[in-house]
Amino acid sequence: MPAYRAPRGTRDLLPTETPAWTRLERLAADLAARYGYQRIETPLFELTDVFERGIGEVTDVVEKELFRLAPRTEDGESWALRPEPTAGIVRAYVQHGMQTWPQPVKLTQTGPMFRYDRPQAGRYRQFWQFDVEAIGDPGPAVDAEIVELATRFFRDAGLADVEVSLNSIGDPACRPAYLEALIAYFQGHADALPPTERARLARNPLRLLDSKDPAMADLNAAAPRITDHLCEACAAHFAAVQAHLTALGVRFRIEPGLVRGLDYYTRTAFEFYVVGREGQQQAIGGGGRYDGLVELLGGRPTPGIGFGIGLDRVLLALAAAGIASDGGAPSPVAVVVGADPDDTTARLVIATDLRAAGIAARAELSRRKLGKQLEAAARDGAHFAVIVGDELADGEVQLRDLPAGTQKAVPLADLGREVARSHGAHHHGDGSGG
Ligand code: AMP
């Protein structure tokens, strides 16, 4: 047993795993850019207040799962690691006066989130989210646009069968009356409520609907549905979101129990599941509209909508579906080898010049025999071996095409150009030939 291990609920992403991550991060960045989202980076921690207000104190995320940082200053400011990105992004929107920018402001971020949750498969204390936020547009068209973007991400990532669950959770005009009906219903069944749910009833009745407690399943199935209590404006908004999704060819399932764990959501709420993995009760992404959040964090009333996709879970789903990304170290184009074991200088200088010319090169710095060096270069998948020998005194090296088994003398001054040209001729179009 090693003396130190990564903290519980966290993982090291090893070089065998990072190519799959890089692929997803690139896909996220490419899609976000194609849809007009610009990158924003906010701190990994914020004043605790930003999360308590922005997410709501009566949520698991804040109540139980917030990673609080011990205050180190006299003024005792209280910070916490971000459990999700929206509150921080909206804090930045308000702080930097983005309300005066052309609306909506479309922002994207991909990075680690932190929740002090009980670790299990697909549930980590540090996990990654691909997030987009469109702030300043009341929808409903942008709601559908954002859901479609998420489904395209899953499809392009290689997950063919992702289901969209959709709901509207109303707004301050219609939710209070619905909450009354919901509270009355649960009070009528108080005896059947598990104690934790009974305690929540007074503080956040909506939360009972997404309870993971199996004892709640039947009760929730018969509970009053928010979609039967929407005001006219919310009902029209919800209908229009659905019509837009249908026009975009996005299939969805209305899920009246979908309320999301976070307080600031209004109207549109959605989650994504991999078909066949529902049993895990683990969404691979989710999001919704948060028309009250900007004002809550000190800005003018401004509508907004966004989603967060859990990259860890996307990768688990890809692995479960047998969709692997090619791992392994990238092959160098050229390996610089030499017969004189002491002359690492010449090999390193030549490799450095090749790298400066944009060519992936490795200098053989070991003291093994030339034959072994050449074997290692071939094993690495290199296209060329640059053999440094006595001709170096005349400004020349031998350039061996390893797969072809041919070799010729090349003036050092032409080496970069020659390697790029020959490599490009074999691999035209892959852009690595310079
Ligand atoms: P949420 O804000 O809870 O809806 O989270 C958005 C997405 O992040 C979820 O759909 C998951 O894919 C992912 N996620 C949330 N919590 C975790 C966690 N503890 N570990 C891994 N992924 C998570």
Side-chain angles (χ1 to χ4, degrees):
M1 270 282 264
Y4 297 108
R5 307 178 66 86
R8 214 161 96 80
T10 72
R11 290 151 307 144
D12 301 307
L13 302 178
L14 302 180
T16 46
E17 300 163 289
T18 47
W21 282 82
T22 304
R23 187 176 76 88
L24 281 194
E25 283 163 357
R26 287 211 180 117
L27 176 60
D30 287 353
L31 275 183
R34 210 186 303 166
Y35 281 69
Y37 289 81
Q38 293 186 289
R39 180 173 167 192
I40 184 171
E41 288 297 335
T42 58
L44 299 193
F45 61 97
E46 297 272 353
L47 283 176
T48 309
D49 220 32
V50 169
F51 302 126
E52 284 180 343
R53 282 174 162 270
I55 298 171
E57 292 185 55
V58 192
T59 56
D60 281 352
V61 165
V62 168
E63 226 173 19
K64 297 193 236 153
E65 298 169 7
L66 211 54
F67 257 99
R68 294 167 192 276
L69 304 178
R72 302 188 55 134
T73 52
E74 284 302 307
D75 51 22
E77 279 186 326
S78 160
W79 297 303
L81 295 181
R82 63 184 187 191
E84 56 85 50
T86 309
I89 290 175
V90 169
R91 190 268 310 140
Y93 176 91
V94 174
Q95 176 181 341
H96 302 287
M98 294 187 207
Q99 277 158 324
T100 64
W101 299 9
Q103 305 292 302
V105 177
K106 293 164 81 175
L107 303 169
T108 183
Q109 183 173 99
T110 297
M113 307 296 152
F114 305 87
R115 293 185 194 176
Y116 193 76
D117 204 350
R118 181 198 295 273
Q120 49 182 281
R123 189 176 300 282
Y124 307 106
R125 288 181 171 171
Q126 175 174 338
F127 60 97
W128 272 257
Q129 270 190 17
F130 162 39
D131 183 79
V132 308
E133 311 286 349
I135 309 176
D137 187 326
V142 73
D143 303 41
E145 185 183 41
I146 241 176
V147 170
E148 193 276 333
L149 164 51
T151 61
R152 185 169 306 279
F153 174 81
F154 295 128
R155 197 172 338 123
D156 289 0
L159 292 175
D161 231 358
V162 171
E163 187 164 72
V164 182
S165 298
L166 183 72
N167 198 19
S168 172
I169 55 172
D171 70 1
C174 51
R175 201 155 35 190
Y178 170 68
L179 290 181
E180 268 176 41
L182 193 63
I183 291 170
Y185 167 78
F186 282 126
Q187 278 172 345
H189 295 83
D191 292 346
L193 287 181
T196 48
E197 306 299 336
R198 206 175 308 149
R200 270 179 175 159
L201 182 55
R203 301 204 295 157
N204 190 349
L206 221 45
R207 292 300 317 285
L208 273 63
L209 290 177
D210 70 356
S211 167
K212 303 280 180 286
D213 193 325
M216 295 294 291
D218 289 344
L219 264 187
N220 279 339
R225 302 181 155 205
I226 177 84
T227 39
D228 297 331
H229 290 75
L230 295 178
C231 59
E232 231 172 276
C234 283
H237 191 277
F238 191 36
V241 171
Q242 295 174 53
H244 280 84
L245 283 173
T246 302
L248 294 176
V250 175
R251 282 182 296 119
F252 56 88
R253 194 167 48 83
I254 306 248
E255 179 51 73
L258 169 55
V259 290
R260 307 269 306 145
L262 315 180
D263 267 359
Y264 53 66
Y265 286 98
T266 52
R267 294 188 168 172
T268 312
F270 50 88
E271 269 179 351
F272 305 97
Y273 290 88
V274 177
V275 174
R277 285 173 69 87
E278 300 92 339
Q280 322 245 330
Q281 284 208 352
Q282 286 187 346
I284 52 172
R289 180 160 282 290
Y290 46 81
D291 292 349
L293 183 57
V294 176
E295 190 177 12
L296 208 61
L297 292 179
R300 270 192 269 114
T302 308
I305 185 166
F307 69 63
I309 288 176
L311 296 185
D312 310 74
R313 290 187 189 170
V314 170
L315 283 165
L316 284 172
L318 285 170
I323 299 162
S325 281
D326 43 340
S331 296
V333 173
V335 175
V336 186
V337 301
D340 177 359
D342 292 323
D343 191 6
T344 46
T345 310
R347 280 176 264 165
L348 196 51
V349 166
I350 292 169
T352 303
D353 286 346
L354 287 173
R355 291 161 180 164
I359 295 158
R362 176 168 75 75
E364 175 65 61
L365 300 178
S366 77
R367 303 175 61 88
R368 54 190 163 181
K369 294 221 160 60
L370 180 59
K372 295 276 180 217
Q373 296 182 28
L374 287 167
E375 279 171 25
R379 230 181 5 254
D380 276 4
H383 187 176
F384 299 104
V386 177
I387 305 167
V388 184
D390 295 339
E391 308 103 308
L392 191 61
D394 308 322
E396 281 194 350
V397 289
Q398 290 288 324
L399 182 62
R400 180 180 296 191
D401 185 318
L402 291 166
T406 55
Q407 184 170 321
K408 64 179 172 188
V410 175
L412 255 190
D414 297 340
L415 183 64
R417 227 167 309 133
E418 180 59 27
V419 168
R421 196 187 57 74
S422 320
H423 186 63
H426 282 257
H427 301 262
H428 49 88
D430 73 358
S432 60

